[in-house]
Amino acid sequence: MKNKKELGTWLKDMDLAHPLLIAGPCSAETQAQVLNIAHQLKDTDTTVLRAGIWKPRTRPGNFEGVGAVGLKWLQRAKEETGLLTSTEVANANHVDLALAHDVDILWIGARTTVSPFIVQEIAEALKGTDKIVLIKNPVNPDLSLWLGAVERFYEAGMKNLGVVHRGFSSYEKHTYRNNPEWQIPIDLQNRFPDLPLILDPSHIAGRRDLIFDLCQTALDLNYDGVMVETHHDPNNAWSDAQQQITPDTLKQMTVDLRIRVQEGDALEYKNKLNTLRTKIDVLDHQLVETLGKRMSIADEIGGLKKSNNVAILQTKRWNNVLNKMIVEGEEYKLSEDFILKIYKAIHQESIDHQNKVVTKK
Ligand code: PEP
Ligand code: MN
């Protein structure tokens, strides 16, 4: 698939003065809960109300959604507030029910995007409709799988598409519930500039205090919108309680976020510069993270050398590493001189790390 201009028409047609805001609870719980949240969101910049009706949970025993009855609550919320509605569909039956209840935007969850069979089934079920479909990234960091899902919808004749970046699963959890791996959506954006890109900071963060910064990064990277889990009583939500924010917090957030204005030459320049700088920040973060990982492996090697009484400096190995990196550097247009400087510094830090391990009593 190549970039297609028509992919983003649905969003342009909304003619919003700001990035698209999708908000609402992780799950629809009761009719009163859905209506309460919807009415509070009406007083914010929210255009689309989200609520999970069927919840794919990693482990059984957690709340798995209220099922089809919740679609009636979404319908009523739309009637009362004028908000568009959206929910996750994970099979053809969900699609039929969502269509019957006039859901405006369907999203494909991260656990569904990983399965080409199910994606195909959903695409077939939607054939001939003009629904807006948002495709979440797969749980694993695989751009082709993500794009493959977009292509399956495109080939089924669906042209109103968008993607949602919700982060990628990793075995070791650090700051985030799902690592952002910004490089992946940035690559996607470079290849498909007209495919609307929406951030889901809630499932990346897993906790509410990180949501603002994630949204700001996304806006600086020129994302087209955000989908934020919002609940009137987050701590007592039936699913994803730690990551939901209140409608009031959401409202304040939209005031505090720096939203980029797209007009005027000077602003255009500033916006472009900002985007490029944010891309550099993402890469710098990855650089330091990778260096940190490299040094912890050096520590392990230090321990191994210590227990086997081997000298820290292994000149032959070091020369091999250096020569290999000079050749690889050429491929990326990095001069030999630069690689030498960088690798001397890395090697020194590595030796210092190993020394510390070896001399530790
Ligand atoms: C959700 O949006 O509530 C959800 C289950 O998301 P994901 O598919 O990204 O885990
Ligand atoms: Mn959720």
Side-chain angles (χ1 to χ4, degrees):
M1 192 171 98
K2 295 220 173 66
N3 183 45
K4 302 272 193 311
K5 286 255 184 272
E6 73 263 38
L7 291 171
T9 315
W10 63 272
L11 187 52
K12 293 201 182 80
D13 287 348
M14 285 185 179
D15 203 21
L16 301 171
H18 48 72
L20 176 66
L21 181 56
I22 304 174
C26 176
S27 307
E29 298 165 4
T30 63
Q31 173 161 281
Q33 174 244 19
V34 170
L35 294 177
N36 181 348
I37 296 169
H39 278 279
Q40 291 192 53
L41 289 176
K42 201 172 56 141
D43 301 326
T44 68
D45 287 340
T46 305
T47 303
V48 183
L49 172 69
R50 64 149 281 155
I53 297 291
W54 301 280
K55 302 300 300 176
R57 304 281 69 176
T58 299
R59 308 281 303 271
N62 294 318
F63 177 59
E64 296 198 322
V66 291
V69 64
L71 294 168
K72 301 245 183 298
W73 310 338
L74 283 181
Q75 228 168 355
R76 177 139 175 217
K78 171 156 55 175
E79 273 163 31
E80 289 186 12
T81 64
L83 292 170
L84 300 178
T85 54
S86 73
T87 200
E88 171 174 353
V89 289
N91 59 42
N93 181 42
H94 293 168
V95 170
D96 293 342
L97 286 163
L99 292 179
H101 291 83
D102 214 17
V103 176
D104 299 290
I105 299 181
L106 306 181
W107 85 76
I108 309 301
R111 294 164 193 76
T112 303
T113 308
V114 291
S115 168
F117 284 135
I118 305 186
V119 170
Q120 191 64 39
E121 173 186 318
I122 297 172
E124 305 280 338
L126 278 165
K127 226 177 198 160
T129 73
D130 60 357
K131 278 291 154 195
I132 299 167
V133 181
L134 302 180
I135 298 138
K136 286 201 171 195
N137 68 254
V139 283
N140 53 323
D142 186 339
L143 179 56
S144 305
L145 197 55
W146 197 3
L147 286 175
V150 176
E151 282 162 349
R152 283 179 197 279
F153 284 99
Y154 188 80
E155 279 161 22
M158 313 288 300
K159 300 291 183 281
N160 298 325
L161 300 175
V163 287
V164 179
H165 170 213
R166 53 78 79 194
F168 301 88
S169 180
S170 69
Y171 183 56
E172 281 175 47
K173 303 271 179 258
H174 294 290
T175 312
Y176 300 106
R177 176 178 173 190
N178 291 293
N179 288 333
E181 313 274 9
W182 293 103
Q183 202 51 46
I184 296 178
I186 289 173
D187 282 350
L188 184 138
Q189 200 180 29
N190 284 340
R191 284 164 61 181
F192 299 95
D194 289 298
L195 180 62
L197 172 60
I198 292 162
L199 181 81
D200 169 348
S202 312
H203 291 89
I204 292 180
R207 41 185 255 221
R208 46 188 150 267
D209 61 314
L210 300 173
I211 295 200
F212 181 90
D213 285 348
L214 284 165
C215 288
Q216 189 61 67
T217 301
L219 294 180
D220 289 340
L221 286 171
N222 244 336
Y223 277 46
D224 301 286
V226 293
M227 179 199 265
V228 184
E229 283 192 341
T230 311
H231 194 285
H232 67 291
D233 182 9
N235 284 332
N236 289 308
W238 296 3
S239 57
D240 290 350
Q242 286 163 351
Q243 69 194 31
Q244 304 205 53
I245 59 173
T246 62
D248 277 348
T249 307
L250 180 78
K251 198 169 181 176
Q252 189 57 44
M253 200 170 85
T254 58
V255 174
D256 295 340
L257 283 168
R258 273 177 289 117
I259 295 182
R260 298 131 47 83
V261 186
Q262 297 284 357
E263 285 160 71
D265 283 351
L267 275 172
E268 186 90 339
Y269 157 78
K270 257 186 138 172
N271 283 347
K272 281 196 177 136
L273 188 64
N274 232 331
T275 303
L276 293 172
R277 284 186 169 154
T278 308
K279 287 183 183 178
I280 294 249
D281 290 347
V282 166
L283 291 175
D284 278 344
H285 167 79
Q286 285 173 356
L287 267 178
V288 171
E289 195 181 35
T290 306
L291 286 172
K293 285 186 186 158
R294 195 188 191 284
M295 291 310 154
S296 26
I297 296 182
D299 289 341
E300 273 186 57
I301 294 185
L304 207 60
K305 284 180 179 166
K306 183 182 182 179
S307 51
N308 287 279
N309 238 342
V310 176
I312 289 179
L313 187 62
Q314 301 283 321
T315 316
K316 206 166 139 208
R317 157 80 184 153
W318 166 235
N319 281 332
N320 283 345
V321 170
L322 207 52
N323 287 334
K324 199 162 143 239
M325 287 306 112
I326 289 172
V327 174
E328 278 196 29
E330 264 172 34
E331 263 178 56
Y332 292 95
K333 300 200 166 55
L334 303 172
S335 72
E336 178 171 338
D337 193 34
F338 175 66
I339 295 279
L340 279 174
K341 274 191 210 141
I342 293 236
Y343 265 87
K344 269 191 190 145
I346 292 179
H347 189 225
Q348 190 54 53
E349 181 75 7
S350 216
I351 288 179
D352 292 348
H353 267 251
Q354 293 194 17
N355 254 332
K356 251 190 219 151
V357 175
V358 170
T359 54
K360 203 169 142 199
K361 292 262 163 27

